[in-house]
Amino acid sequence: MLWRLRLPTALPLLLAGMRVSTVRSVIVAIVTEMLGAHGGLGWVIYQAVLQIDFVQVWSAIFVASAASLAFFGLVGFLERKILFWR
């Protein structure tokens, strides 16, 4: 009953939640790197703001946006493959 009825019915909502959570997880990772890490994209943004290097800030934001869009696209691709009936 679980595998034939409930899971296929819940899959659209589960995958929609995954689409939203991928973008938010990238944001959370960057913010936590800003607050306490000594490396990573958030740390690069934080150090560039302290040095008033806004070209580096915007390039790091562009890389973060590209990574977020890549994760979103990957989940969208998986959704199209898994939910073949939609």
Side-chain angles (χ1 to χ4, degrees), residues 1-16:
M1 186 169 162
L2 173 71
W3 294 105
R4 299 243 179 210
L5 293 175
R6 291 188 185 228
L7 190 62
T9 305
L11 271 177
L13 295 174
L14 288 172
L15 290 170

Side-chain angles (χ1 to χ4, degrees), residues 23-84:
V23 176
R24 289 189 179 190
S25 66
V26 171
I27 293 170
V28 168
I30 290 172
V31 169
T32 54
E33 285 175 353
M34 281 182 181
L35 296 176
H38 297 289
L41 202 53
W43 183 78
V44 168
I45 293 172
Y46 181 71
Q47 292 298 318
V49 167
L50 290 179
Q51 296 172 0
I52 310 172
D53 185 9
F54 291 111
V55 172
Q56 189 174 10
V57 171
W58 282 107
S59 63
I61 289 172
F62 177 76
V63 169
S65 298
S68 182
L69 284 173
F71 286 135
F72 187 83
L74 178 67
V75 172
F77 174 75
L78 289 175
E79 183 178 9
R80 285 190 302 275
K81 291 297 180 185
I82 292 173
L83 298 178
F84 57 87

